[in-house]
Amino acid sequence: MAQHQQERAVRTRAALIKAAAEEFDLAGFAGTSTTKIIKRAGSTMGALYFHFGSKEGVAKAVMAEQAADLPELVGRSGLQHLVDLTLELARELRGNVLLRAGVRLAVEQGAFGIQDDTAYQLWITRFKEELIVADALGELREGVDPAGFARVLVGAYSGTQLLSRISTGHEDLLERIAELWRYFLPAIATPEVIATLEFETRGPGTAK
């Protein structure tokens, strides 16, 4: 009985997260009500407040779990893997509602009284790990700090995706991320490595 209740609670929470992501993606934090979320989820206000405590709590959960259902990226190691990852995130931002809503809320959060950099730190850590591998492979220029560039890359990526969302609804995001790399790579990578990198900016699915 206890296990059944626990499984039901897990399903209820997941349904609320999904519904909240869909509503936040459509209307942002200000335009979304808890009533809309529970209606879309087929749940109750009691369940929402039990799991999250408030609309702000749901928003924080969506931000924290934005990467929960991203596909695993396979392919080459080092800088190519990092380039592929950033392009795959661009593809996911077109079709993955949880990621898109989480990113939108992370940008909007100051407007609803939250200062939470968890989502940004998640990507800084992920990018840093890839850059450490690239450094070990001898792909980075001397003096490039993986942690420092990871922070710069997350900041630049965030601004680029925001501009793309406003301008084209993310339709040009793949091209804009490739453009970002064309300006960054000469500063961080050896010319030999730059010559080998590939940028797949067309077609759905996992970058290779």
Side-chain angles (χ1 to χ4, degrees), residues 161-200:
Q161 74 80 24
L162 177 59
L163 178 59
S164 176
R165 190 190 82 194
I166 294 170
S167 300
T168 69
H170 285 148
E171 285 300 314
D172 70 345
L173 184 54
L174 283 161
E175 289 76 17
R176 298 290 74 76
I177 296 303
E179 182 179 55
L180 189 73
W181 277 116
R182 284 195 290 272
Y183 284 100
F184 272 149
L185 282 170
I188 68 153
T190 65
E192 296 78 12
V193 171
I194 294 173
T196 69
L197 295 177
E198 299 175 356
F199 293 83
E200 180 52 66

PDB file of all heavy atoms in Angstrom, residues 161-200:
ATOM      1  N   GLN A 161      20.717  32.487 -27.055  1.00  0.00           N
ATOM      2  CA  GLN A 161      19.425  31.801 -27.182  1.00  0.00           C
ATOM      3  C   GLN A 161      18.269  32.748 -26.892  1.00  0.00           C
ATOM      4  O   GLN A 161      17.205  32.630 -27.509  1.00  0.00           O
ATOM      5  CB  GLN A 161      19.374  30.552 -26.289  1.00  0.00           C
ATOM      6  CG  GLN A 161      19.216  30.774 -24.807  1.00  0.00           C
ATOM      7  CD  GLN A 161      17.774  31.068 -24.382  1.00  0.00           C
ATOM      8  OE1 GLN A 161      16.821  30.695 -25.073  1.00  0.00           O
ATOM      9  NE2 GLN A 161      17.622  31.747 -23.267  1.00  0.00           N
ATOM     10  N   LEU A 162      18.461  33.690 -25.973  1.00  0.00           N
ATOM     11  CA  LEU A 162      17.397  34.651 -25.674  1.00  0.00           C
ATOM     12  C   LEU A 162      17.117  35.541 -26.886  1.00  0.00           C
ATOM     13  O   LEU A 162      15.954  35.751 -27.260  1.00  0.00           O
ATOM     14  CB  LEU A 162      17.794  35.505 -24.470  1.00  0.00           C
ATOM     15  CG  LEU A 162      16.811  36.611 -24.067  1.00  0.00           C
ATOM     16  CD1 LEU A 162      15.443  36.030 -23.719  1.00  0.00           C
ATOM     17  CD2 LEU A 162      17.366  37.407 -22.885  1.00  0.00           C
ATOM     18  N   LEU A 163      18.169  36.032 -27.509  1.00  0.00           N
ATOM     19  CA  LEU A 163      17.988  36.862 -28.705  1.00  0.00           C
ATOM     20  C   LEU A 163      17.329  36.061 -29.820  1.00  0.00           C
ATOM     21  O   LEU A 163      16.423  36.559 -30.508  1.00  0.00           O
ATOM     22  CB  LEU A 163      19.337  37.409 -29.166  1.00  0.00           C
ATOM     23  CG  LEU A 163      19.323  38.258 -30.448  1.00  0.00           C
ATOM     24  CD1 LEU A 163      18.407  39.468 -30.288  1.00  0.00           C
ATOM     25  CD2 LEU A 163      20.743  38.691 -30.800  1.00  0.00           C
ATOM     26  N   SER A 164      17.755  34.815 -29.986  1.00  0.00           N
ATOM     27  CA  SER A 164      17.161  33.965 -31.014  1.00  0.00           C
ATOM     28  C   SER A 164      15.689  33.701 -30.733  1.00  0.00           C
ATOM     29  O   SER A 164      14.861  33.692 -31.653  1.00  0.00           O
ATOM     30  CB  SER A 164      17.929  32.642 -31.101  1.00  0.00           C
ATOM     31  OG  SER A 164      17.323  31.766 -32.019  1.00  0.00           O
ATOM     32  N   ARG A 165      15.352  33.468 -29.462  1.00  0.00           N
ATOM     33  CA  ARG A 165      13.953  33.219 -29.110  1.00  0.00           C
ATOM     34  C   ARG A 165      13.084  34.422 -29.432  1.00  0.00           C
ATOM     35  O   ARG A 165      11.993  34.297 -30.007  1.00  0.00           O
ATOM     36  CB  ARG A 165      13.824  32.888 -27.627  1.00  0.00           C
ATOM     37  CG  ARG A 165      12.440  32.390 -27.212  1.00  0.00           C
ATOM     38  CD  ARG A 165      12.316  32.316 -25.697  1.00  0.00           C
ATOM     39  NE  ARG A 165      11.998  33.627 -25.146  1.00  0.00           N
ATOM     40  CZ  ARG A 165      12.088  33.938 -23.850  1.00  0.00           C
ATOM     41  NH1 ARG A 165      12.528  33.043 -22.978  1.00  0.00           N
ATOM     42  NH2 ARG A 165      11.770  35.134 -23.419  1.00  0.00           N
ATOM     43  N   ILE A 166      13.574  35.602 -29.078  1.00  0.00           N
ATOM     44  CA  ILE A 166      12.804  36.821 -29.315  1.00  0.00           C
ATOM     45  C   ILE A 166      12.702  37.127 -30.809  1.00  0.00           C
ATOM     46  O   ILE A 166      11.650  37.544 -31.309  1.00  0.00           O
ATOM     47  CB  ILE A 166      13.441  38.009 -28.567  1.00  0.00           C
ATOM     48  CG1 ILE A 166      13.334  37.794 -27.051  1.00  0.00           C
ATOM     49  CG2 ILE A 166      12.782  39.321 -28.966  1.00  0.00           C
ATOM     50  CD1 ILE A 166      14.143  38.791 -26.240  1.00  0.00           C
ATOM     51  N   SER A 167      13.801  36.902 -31.531  1.00  0.00           N
ATOM     52  CA  SER A 167      13.852  37.284 -32.950  1.00  0.00           C
ATOM     53  C   SER A 167      13.151  36.297 -33.867  1.00  0.00           C
ATOM     54  O   SER A 167      12.435  36.698 -34.795  1.00  0.00           O
ATOM     55  CB  SER A 167      15.312  37.435 -33.396  1.00  0.00           C
ATOM     56  OG  SER A 167      15.976  38.430 -32.644  1.00  0.00           O
ATOM     57  N   THR A 168      13.375  34.989 -33.629  1.00  0.00           N
ATOM     58  CA  THR A 168      12.887  33.995 -34.593  1.00  0.00           C
ATOM     59  C   THR A 168      12.210  32.799 -33.947  1.00  0.00           C
ATOM     60  O   THR A 168      11.922  31.818 -34.640  1.00  0.00           O
ATOM     61  CB  THR A 168      14.051  33.471 -35.456  1.00  0.00           C
ATOM     62  OG1 THR A 168      14.931  32.676 -34.630  1.00  0.00           O
ATOM     63  CG2 THR A 168      14.835  34.599 -36.101  1.00  0.00           C
ATOM     64  N   GLY A 169      11.951  32.840 -32.635  1.00  0.00           N
ATOM     65  CA  GLY A 169      11.386  31.677 -31.975  1.00  0.00           C
ATOM     66  C   GLY A 169      12.333  30.489 -32.000  1.00  0.00           C
ATOM     67  O   GLY A 169      11.901  29.337 -32.098  1.00  0.00           O
ATOM     68  N   HIS A 170      13.641  30.780 -31.921  1.00  0.00           N
ATOM     69  CA  HIS A 170      14.713  29.770 -31.933  1.00  0.00           C
ATOM     70  C   HIS A 170      14.937  29.128 -33.303  1.00  0.00           C
ATOM     71  O   HIS A 170      15.727  28.194 -33.419  1.00  0.00           O
ATOM     72  CB  HIS A 170      14.465  28.658 -30.897  1.00  0.00           C
ATOM     73  CG  HIS A 170      14.734  29.066 -29.494  1.00  0.00           C
ATOM     74  ND1 HIS A 170      14.033  28.561 -28.421  1.00  0.00           N
ATOM     75  CD2 HIS A 170      15.629  29.939 -28.966  1.00  0.00           C
ATOM     76  CE1 HIS A 170      14.464  29.097 -27.303  1.00  0.00           C
ATOM     77  NE2 HIS A 170      15.438  29.942 -27.599  1.00  0.00           N
ATOM     78  N   GLU A 171      14.295  29.642 -34.338  1.00  0.00           N
ATOM     79  CA  GLU A 171      14.473  29.043 -35.658  1.00  0.00           C
ATOM     80  C   GLU A 171      15.912  29.172 -36.170  1.00  0.00           C
ATOM     81  O   GLU A 171      16.392  28.307 -36.914  1.00  0.00           O
ATOM     82  CB  GLU A 171      13.509  29.678 -36.661  1.00  0.00           C
ATOM     83  CG  GLU A 171      12.071  29.227 -36.512  1.00  0.00           C
ATOM     84  CD  GLU A 171      11.912  27.729 -36.689  1.00  0.00           C
ATOM     85  OE1 GLU A 171      12.489  27.185 -37.655  1.00  0.00           O
ATOM     86  OE2 GLU A 171      11.213  27.098 -35.875  1.00  0.00           O
ATOM     87  N   ASP A 172      16.605  30.244 -35.791  1.00  0.00           N
ATOM     88  CA  ASP A 172      17.980  30.439 -36.275  1.00  0.00           C
ATOM     89  C   ASP A 172      19.022  30.091 -35.220  1.00  0.00           C
ATOM     90  O   ASP A 172      20.208  30.406 -35.380  1.00  0.00           O
ATOM     91  CB  ASP A 172      18.177  31.885 -36.735  1.00  0.00           C
ATOM     92  CG  ASP A 172      18.172  32.895 -35.584  1.00  0.00           C
ATOM     93  OD1 ASP A 172      17.727  32.526 -34.461  1.00  0.00           O
ATOM     94  OD2 ASP A 172      18.596  34.043 -35.793  1.00  0.00           O
ATOM     95  N   LEU A 173      18.622  29.402 -34.147  1.00  0.00           N
ATOM     96  CA  LEU A 173      19.532  29.208 -33.024  1.00  0.00           C
ATOM     97  C   LEU A 173      20.757  28.369 -33.388  1.00  0.00           C
ATOM     98  O   LEU A 173      21.870  28.653 -32.945  1.00  0.00           O
ATOM     99  CB  LEU A 173      18.791  28.578 -31.832  1.00  0.00           C
ATOM    100  CG  LEU A 173      19.616  28.406 -30.548  1.00  0.00           C
ATOM    101  CD1 LEU A 173      20.245  29.732 -30.115  1.00  0.00           C
ATOM    102  CD2 LEU A 173      18.754  27.840 -29.428  1.00  0.00           C
ATOM    103  N   LEU A 174      20.575  27.324 -34.168  1.00  0.00           N
ATOM    104  CA  LEU A 174      21.725  26.514 -34.569  1.00  0.00           C
ATOM    105  C   LEU A 174      22.775  27.365 -35.282  1.00  0.00           C
ATOM    106  O   LEU A 174      23.975  27.262 -34.991  1.00  0.00           O
ATOM    107  CB  LEU A 174      21.266  25.366 -35.471  1.00  0.00           C
ATOM    108  CG  LEU A 174      20.613  24.185 -34.756  1.00  0.00           C
ATOM    109  CD1 LEU A 174      19.804  23.350 -35.744  1.00  0.00           C
ATOM    110  CD2 LEU A 174      21.655  23.322 -34.075  1.00  0.00           C
ATOM    111  N   GLU A 175      22.345  28.196 -36.196  1.00  0.00           N
ATOM    112  CA  GLU A 175      23.279  29.053 -36.914  1.00  0.00           C
ATOM    113  C   GLU A 175      23.939  30.076 -35.999  1.00  0.00           C
ATOM    114  O   GLU A 175      25.131  30.367 -36.125  1.00  0.00           O
ATOM    115  CB  GLU A 175      22.551  29.774 -38.061  1.00  0.00           C
ATOM    116  CG  GLU A 175      22.157  28.866 -39.219  1.00  0.00           C
ATOM    117  CD  GLU A 175      20.951  27.986 -38.910  1.00  0.00           C
ATOM    118  OE1 GLU A 175      20.215  28.287 -37.939  1.00  0.00           O
ATOM    119  OE2 GLU A 175      20.744  27.007 -39.647  1.00  0.00           O
ATOM    120  N   ARG A 176      23.178  30.594 -35.044  1.00  0.00           N
ATOM    121  CA  ARG A 176      23.736  31.580 -34.130  1.00  0.00           C
ATOM    122  C   ARG A 176      24.768  30.947 -33.176  1.00  0.00           C
ATOM    123  O   ARG A 176      25.765  31.578 -32.823  1.00  0.00           O
ATOM    124  CB  ARG A 176      22.613  32.241 -33.313  1.00  0.00           C
ATOM    125  CG  ARG A 176      21.590  33.014 -34.109  1.00  0.00           C
ATOM    126  CD  ARG A 176      22.157  34.312 -34.711  1.00  0.00           C
ATOM    127  NE  ARG A 176      23.050  34.098 -35.849  1.00  0.00           N
ATOM    128  CZ  ARG A 176      22.659  33.772 -37.082  1.00  0.00           C
ATOM    129  NH1 ARG A 176      21.370  33.623 -37.349  1.00  0.00           N
ATOM    130  NH2 ARG A 176      23.534  33.597 -38.043  1.00  0.00           N
ATOM    131  N   ILE A 177      24.540  29.706 -32.760  1.00  0.00           N
ATOM    132  CA  ILE A 177      25.510  29.028 -31.892  1.00  0.00           C
ATOM    133  C   ILE A 177      26.776  28.699 -32.676  1.00  0.00           C
ATOM    134  O   ILE A 177      27.899  28.835 -32.163  1.00  0.00           O
ATOM    135  CB  ILE A 177      24.901  27.752 -31.278  1.00  0.00           C
ATOM    136  CG1 ILE A 177      23.731  28.116 -30.362  1.00  0.00           C
ATOM    137  CG2 ILE A 177      25.956  26.971 -30.494  1.00  0.00           C
ATOM    138  CD1 ILE A 177      24.064  29.088 -29.240  1.00  0.00           C
ATOM    139  N   ALA A 178      26.628  28.271 -33.926  1.00  0.00           N
ATOM    140  CA  ALA A 178      27.799  28.038 -34.769  1.00  0.00           C
ATOM    141  C   ALA A 178      28.591  29.336 -34.948  1.00  0.00           C
ATOM    142  O   ALA A 178      29.829  29.341 -34.920  1.00  0.00           O
ATOM    143  CB  ALA A 178      27.366  27.483 -36.123  1.00  0.00           C
ATOM    144  N   GLU A 179      27.884  30.443 -35.107  1.00  0.00           N
ATOM    145  CA  GLU A 179      28.526  31.743 -35.234  1.00  0.00           C
ATOM    146  C   GLU A 179      29.289  32.093 -33.959  1.00  0.00           C
ATOM    147  O   GLU A 179      30.423  32.608 -34.011  1.00  0.00           O
ATOM    148  CB  GLU A 179      27.471  32.804 -35.529  1.00  0.00           C
ATOM    149  CG  GLU A 179      28.014  34.208 -35.735  1.00  0.00           C
ATOM    150  CD  GLU A 179      26.896  35.191 -36.039  1.00  0.00           C
ATOM    151  OE1 GLU A 179      25.936  35.284 -35.230  1.00  0.00           O
ATOM    152  OE2 GLU A 179      26.976  35.850 -37.085  1.00  0.00           O
ATOM    153  N   LEU A 180      28.674  31.810 -32.801  1.00  0.00           N
ATOM    154  CA  LEU A 180      29.321  32.056 -31.518  1.00  0.00           C
ATOM    155  C   LEU A 180      30.663  31.329 -31.454  1.00  0.00           C
ATOM    156  O   LEU A 180      31.682  31.900 -31.047  1.00  0.00           O
ATOM    157  CB  LEU A 180      28.397  31.577 -30.394  1.00  0.00           C
ATOM    158  CG  LEU A 180      28.783  31.917 -28.956  1.00  0.00           C
ATOM    159  CD1 LEU A 180      28.543  33.386 -28.681  1.00  0.00           C
ATOM    160  CD2 LEU A 180      27.956  31.064 -27.988  1.00  0.00           C
ATOM    161  N   TRP A 181      30.649  30.069 -31.855  1.00  0.00           N
ATOM    162  CA  TRP A 181      31.883  29.275 -31.838  1.00  0.00           C
ATOM    163  C   TRP A 181      32.925  29.835 -32.804  1.00  0.00           C
ATOM    164  O   TRP A 181      34.129  29.806 -32.505  1.00  0.00           O
ATOM    165  CB  TRP A 181      31.585  27.821 -32.173  1.00  0.00           C
ATOM    166  CG  TRP A 181      31.119  27.027 -30.999  1.00  0.00           C
ATOM    167  CD1 TRP A 181      29.898  26.440 -30.826  1.00  0.00           C
ATOM    168  CD2 TRP A 181      31.877  26.713 -29.829  1.00  0.00           C
ATOM    169  NE1 TRP A 181      29.845  25.786 -29.616  1.00  0.00           N
ATOM    170  CE2 TRP A 181      31.038  25.939 -28.985  1.00  0.00           C
ATOM    171  CE3 TRP A 181      33.169  27.017 -29.403  1.00  0.00           C
ATOM    172  CZ2 TRP A 181      31.478  25.459 -27.741  1.00  0.00           C
ATOM    173  CZ3 TRP A 181      33.600  26.546 -28.161  1.00  0.00           C
ATOM    174  CH2 TRP A 181      32.758  25.780 -27.357  1.00  0.00           C
ATOM    175  N   ARG A 182      32.534  30.330 -33.926  1.00  0.00           N
ATOM    176  CA  ARG A 182      33.515  30.850 -34.889  1.00  0.00           C
ATOM    177  C   ARG A 182      34.293  32.022 -34.307  1.00  0.00           C
ATOM    178  O   ARG A 182      35.468  32.235 -34.655  1.00  0.00           O
ATOM    179  CB  ARG A 182      32.823  31.253 -36.190  1.00  0.00           C
ATOM    180  CG  ARG A 182      32.434  30.059 -37.068  1.00  0.00           C
ATOM    181  CD  ARG A 182      32.091  30.487 -38.479  1.00  0.00           C
ATOM    182  NE  ARG A 182      30.843  31.229 -38.536  1.00  0.00           N
ATOM    183  CZ  ARG A 182      29.642  30.659 -38.679  1.00  0.00           C
ATOM    184  NH1 ARG A 182      29.545  29.340 -38.759  1.00  0.00           N
ATOM    185  NH2 ARG A 182      28.550  31.392 -38.744  1.00  0.00           N
ATOM    186  N   TYR A 183      33.666  32.771 -33.433  1.00  0.00           N
ATOM    187  CA  TYR A 183      34.370  33.885 -32.795  1.00  0.00           C
ATOM    188  C   TYR A 183      35.175  33.440 -31.567  1.00  0.00           C
ATOM    189  O   TYR A 183      36.230  33.998 -31.272  1.00  0.00           O
ATOM    190  CB  TYR A 183      33.379  34.989 -32.413  1.00  0.00           C
ATOM    191  CG  TYR A 183      32.932  35.806 -33.592  1.00  0.00           C
ATOM    192  CD1 TYR A 183      31.699  35.568 -34.193  1.00  0.00           C
ATOM    193  CD2 TYR A 183      33.752  36.798 -34.133  1.00  0.00           C
ATOM    194  CE1 TYR A 183      31.300  36.305 -35.294  1.00  0.00           C
ATOM    195  CE2 TYR A 183      33.351  37.536 -35.234  1.00  0.00           C
ATOM    196  CZ  TYR A 183      32.123  37.286 -35.811  1.00  0.00           C
ATOM    197  OH  TYR A 183      31.729  38.018 -36.917  1.00  0.00           O
ATOM    198  N   PHE A 184      34.666  32.439 -30.855  1.00  0.00           N
ATOM    199  CA  PHE A 184      35.352  31.990 -29.647  1.00  0.00           C
ATOM    200  C   PHE A 184      36.560  31.092 -29.925  1.00  0.00           C
ATOM    201  O   PHE A 184      37.582  31.162 -29.238  1.00  0.00           O
ATOM    202  CB  PHE A 184      34.383  31.217 -28.737  1.00  0.00           C
ATOM    203  CG  PHE A 184      33.612  32.072 -27.777  1.00  0.00           C
ATOM    204  CD1 PHE A 184      32.330  31.709 -27.383  1.00  0.00           C
ATOM    205  CD2 PHE A 184      34.157  33.233 -27.241  1.00  0.00           C
ATOM    206  CE1 PHE A 184      31.608  32.483 -26.485  1.00  0.00           C
ATOM    207  CE2 PHE A 184      33.447  34.011 -26.346  1.00  0.00           C
ATOM    208  CZ  PHE A 184      32.165  33.639 -25.969  1.00  0.00           C
ATOM    209  N   LEU A 185      36.431  30.215 -30.908  1.00  0.00           N
ATOM    210  CA  LEU A 185      37.448  29.178 -31.098  1.00  0.00           C
ATOM    211  C   LEU A 185      38.865  29.718 -31.304  1.00  0.00           C
ATOM    212  O   LEU A 185      39.811  29.159 -30.722  1.00  0.00           O
ATOM    213  CB  LEU A 185      37.044  28.261 -32.251  1.00  0.00           C
ATOM    214  CG  LEU A 185      35.972  27.227 -31.895  1.00  0.00           C
ATOM    215  CD1 LEU A 185      35.462  26.535 -33.157  1.00  0.00           C
ATOM    216  CD2 LEU A 185      36.503  26.202 -30.893  1.00  0.00           C
ATOM    217  N   PRO A 186      39.066  30.764 -32.092  1.00  0.00           N
ATOM    218  CA  PRO A 186      40.441  31.243 -32.256  1.00  0.00           C
ATOM    219  C   PRO A 186      41.095  31.689 -30.948  1.00  0.00           C
ATOM    220  O   PRO A 186      42.318  31.675 -30.830  1.00  0.00           O
ATOM    221  CB  PRO A 186      40.288  32.424 -33.221  1.00  0.00           C
ATOM    222  CG  PRO A 186      39.049  32.109 -33.987  1.00  0.00           C
ATOM    223  CD  PRO A 186      38.129  31.467 -32.989  1.00  0.00           C
ATOM    224  N   ALA A 187      40.286  32.053 -29.974  1.00  0.00           N
ATOM    225  CA  ALA A 187      40.825  32.510 -28.690  1.00  0.00           C
ATOM    226  C   ALA A 187      41.152  31.367 -27.737  1.00  0.00           C
ATOM    227  O   ALA A 187      41.968  31.533 -26.831  1.00  0.00           O
ATOM    228  CB  ALA A 187      39.827  33.459 -28.017  1.00  0.00           C
ATOM    229  N   ILE A 188      40.518  30.199 -27.939  1.00  0.00           N
ATOM    230  CA  ILE A 188      40.701  29.128 -26.953  1.00  0.00           C
ATOM    231  C   ILE A 188      41.320  27.853 -27.508  1.00  0.00           C
ATOM    232  O   ILE A 188      41.849  27.045 -26.748  1.00  0.00           O
ATOM    233  CB  ILE A 188      39.356  28.754 -26.288  1.00  0.00           C
ATOM    234  CG1 ILE A 188      38.414  28.081 -27.305  1.00  0.00           C
ATOM    235  CG2 ILE A 188      38.710  29.959 -25.624  1.00  0.00           C
ATOM    236  CD1 ILE A 188      37.420  27.142 -26.681  1.00  0.00           C
ATOM    237  N   ALA A 189      41.280  27.649 -28.807  1.00  0.00           N
ATOM    238  CA  ALA A 189      41.700  26.366 -29.377  1.00  0.00           C
ATOM    239  C   ALA A 189      42.898  26.541 -30.306  1.00  0.00           C
ATOM    240  O   ALA A 189      43.110  27.612 -30.890  1.00  0.00           O
ATOM    241  CB  ALA A 189      40.550  25.729 -30.147  1.00  0.00           C
ATOM    242  N   THR A 190      43.662  25.476 -30.453  1.00  0.00           N
ATOM    243  CA  THR A 190      44.792  25.510 -31.379  1.00  0.00           C
ATOM    244  C   THR A 190      44.285  25.490 -32.821  1.00  0.00           C
ATOM    245  O   THR A 190      43.231  24.913 -33.106  1.00  0.00           O
ATOM    246  CB  THR A 190      45.707  24.294 -31.159  1.00  0.00           C
ATOM    247  OG1 THR A 190      44.994  23.097 -31.491  1.00  0.00           O
ATOM    248  CG2 THR A 190      46.163  24.224 -29.701  1.00  0.00           C
ATOM    249  N   PRO A 191      45.020  26.106 -33.733  1.00  0.00           N
ATOM    250  CA  PRO A 191      44.586  26.117 -35.142  1.00  0.00           C
ATOM    251  C   PRO A 191      44.401  24.712 -35.712  1.00  0.00           C
ATOM    252  O   PRO A 191      43.495  24.488 -36.517  1.00  0.00           O
ATOM    253  CB  PRO A 191      45.727  26.858 -35.846  1.00  0.00           C
ATOM    254  CG  PRO A 191      46.343  27.714 -34.791  1.00  0.00           C
ATOM    255  CD  PRO A 191      46.238  26.914 -33.524  1.00  0.00           C
ATOM    256  N   GLU A 192      45.241  23.777 -35.279  1.00  0.00           N
ATOM    257  CA  GLU A 192      45.140  22.409 -35.784  1.00  0.00           C
ATOM    258  C   GLU A 192      43.808  21.769 -35.410  1.00  0.00           C
ATOM    259  O   GLU A 192      43.185  21.060 -36.211  1.00  0.00           O
ATOM    260  CB  GLU A 192      46.303  21.562 -35.256  1.00  0.00           C
ATOM    261  CG  GLU A 192      47.678  22.001 -35.710  1.00  0.00           C
ATOM    262  CD  GLU A 192      48.213  23.206 -34.945  1.00  0.00           C
ATOM    263  OE1 GLU A 192      47.629  23.569 -33.903  1.00  0.00           O
ATOM    264  OE2 GLU A 192      49.230  23.776 -35.392  1.00  0.00           O
ATOM    265  N   VAL A 193      43.364  22.017 -34.203  1.00  0.00           N
ATOM    266  CA  VAL A 193      42.094  21.453 -33.743  1.00  0.00           C
ATOM    267  C   VAL A 193      40.920  22.141 -34.434  1.00  0.00           C
ATOM    268  O   VAL A 193      39.966  21.482 -34.861  1.00  0.00           O
ATOM    269  CB  VAL A 193      41.969  21.580 -32.212  1.00  0.00           C
ATOM    270  CG1 VAL A 193      40.562  21.202 -31.743  1.00  0.00           C
ATOM    271  CG2 VAL A 193      42.999  20.710 -31.522  1.00  0.00           C
ATOM    272  N   ILE A 194      40.982  23.458 -34.565  1.00  0.00           N
ATOM    273  CA  ILE A 194      39.896  24.196 -35.213  1.00  0.00           C
ATOM    274  C   ILE A 194      39.644  23.648 -36.617  1.00  0.00           C
ATOM    275  O   ILE A 194      38.492  23.510 -37.050  1.00  0.00           O
ATOM    276  CB  ILE A 194      40.223  25.700 -35.280  1.00  0.00           C
ATOM    277  CG1 ILE A 194      40.269  26.298 -33.858  1.00  0.00           C
ATOM    278  CG2 ILE A 194      39.189  26.447 -36.119  1.00  0.00           C
ATOM    279  CD1 ILE A 194      40.741  27.738 -33.813  1.00  0.00           C
ATOM    280  N   ALA A 195      40.706  23.289 -37.298  1.00  0.00           N
ATOM    281  CA  ALA A 195      40.571  22.799 -38.677  1.00  0.00           C
ATOM    282  C   ALA A 195      39.835  21.471 -38.756  1.00  0.00           C
ATOM    283  O   ALA A 195      39.298  21.118 -39.815  1.00  0.00           O
ATOM    284  CB  ALA A 195      41.953  22.662 -39.306  1.00  0.00           C
ATOM    285  N   THR A 196      39.787  20.740 -37.647  1.00  0.00           N
ATOM    286  CA  THR A 196      39.137  19.419 -37.663  1.00  0.00           C
ATOM    287  C   THR A 196      37.694  19.447 -37.181  1.00  0.00           C
ATOM    288  O   THR A 196      36.970  18.458 -37.335  1.00  0.00           O
ATOM    289  CB  THR A 196      39.903  18.430 -36.765  1.00  0.00           C
ATOM    290  OG1 THR A 196      39.744  18.795 -35.377  1.00  0.00           O
ATOM    291  CG2 THR A 196      41.382  18.404 -37.119  1.00  0.00           C
ATOM    292  N   LEU A 197      37.254  20.558 -36.607  1.00  0.00           N
ATOM    293  CA  LEU A 197      35.929  20.599 -35.990  1.00  0.00           C
ATOM    294  C   LEU A 197      34.829  20.666 -37.040  1.00  0.00           C
ATOM    295  O   LEU A 197      34.961  21.328 -38.070  1.00  0.00           O
ATOM    296  CB  LEU A 197      35.819  21.797 -35.046  1.00  0.00           C
ATOM    297  CG  LEU A 197      36.735  21.764 -33.815  1.00  0.00           C
ATOM    298  CD1 LEU A 197      36.584  23.049 -33.014  1.00  0.00           C
ATOM    299  CD2 LEU A 197      36.436  20.557 -32.942  1.00  0.00           C
ATOM    300  N   GLU A 198      33.723  19.986 -36.732  1.00  0.00           N
ATOM    301  CA  GLU A 198      32.570  19.961 -37.625  1.00  0.00           C
ATOM    302  C   GLU A 198      31.371  20.604 -36.933  1.00  0.00           C
ATOM    303  O   GLU A 198      31.191  20.454 -35.727  1.00  0.00           O
ATOM    304  CB  GLU A 198      32.227  18.520 -38.010  1.00  0.00           C
ATOM    305  CG  GLU A 198      33.359  17.806 -38.747  1.00  0.00           C
ATOM    306  CD  GLU A 198      33.042  16.351 -39.000  1.00  0.00           C
ATOM    307  OE1 GLU A 198      31.975  15.879 -38.533  1.00  0.00           O
ATOM    308  OE2 GLU A 198      33.857  15.675 -39.650  1.00  0.00           O
ATOM    309  N   PHE A 199      30.542  21.300 -37.726  1.00  0.00           N
ATOM    310  CA  PHE A 199      29.357  21.968 -37.193  1.00  0.00           C
ATOM    311  C   PHE A 199      28.147  21.500 -37.990  1.00  0.00           C
ATOM    312  O   PHE A 199      27.963  21.902 -39.135  1.00  0.00           O
ATOM    313  CB  PHE A 199      29.493  23.486 -37.302  1.00  0.00           C
ATOM    314  CG  PHE A 199      30.571  24.056 -36.427  1.00  0.00           C
ATOM    315  CD1 PHE A 199      31.885  24.067 -36.848  1.00  0.00           C
ATOM    316  CD2 PHE A 199      30.250  24.550 -35.175  1.00  0.00           C
ATOM    317  CE1 PHE A 199      32.879  24.576 -36.037  1.00  0.00           C
ATOM    318  CE2 PHE A 199      31.241  25.068 -34.357  1.00  0.00           C
ATOM    319  CZ  PHE A 199      32.568  25.078 -34.782  1.00  0.00           C
ATOM    320  N   GLU A 200      27.353  20.632 -37.362  1.00  0.00           N
ATOM    321  CA  GLU A 200      26.142  20.129 -38.016  1.00  0.00           C
ATOM    322  C   GLU A 200      24.980  21.013 -37.580  1.00  0.00           C
ATOM    323  O   GLU A 200      24.470  20.895 -36.465  1.00  0.00           O
ATOM    324  CB  GLU A 200      25.885  18.681 -37.628  1.00  0.00           C
ATOM    325  CG  GLU A 200      24.635  18.090 -38.259  1.00  0.00           C
ATOM    326  CD  GLU A 200      24.605  18.271 -39.758  1.00  0.00           C
ATOM    327  OE1 GLU A 200      25.448  17.694 -40.454  1.00  0.00           O
ATOM    328  OE2 GLU A 200      23.726  19.038 -40.227  1.00  0.00           O
TER     329      GLU A 200
END
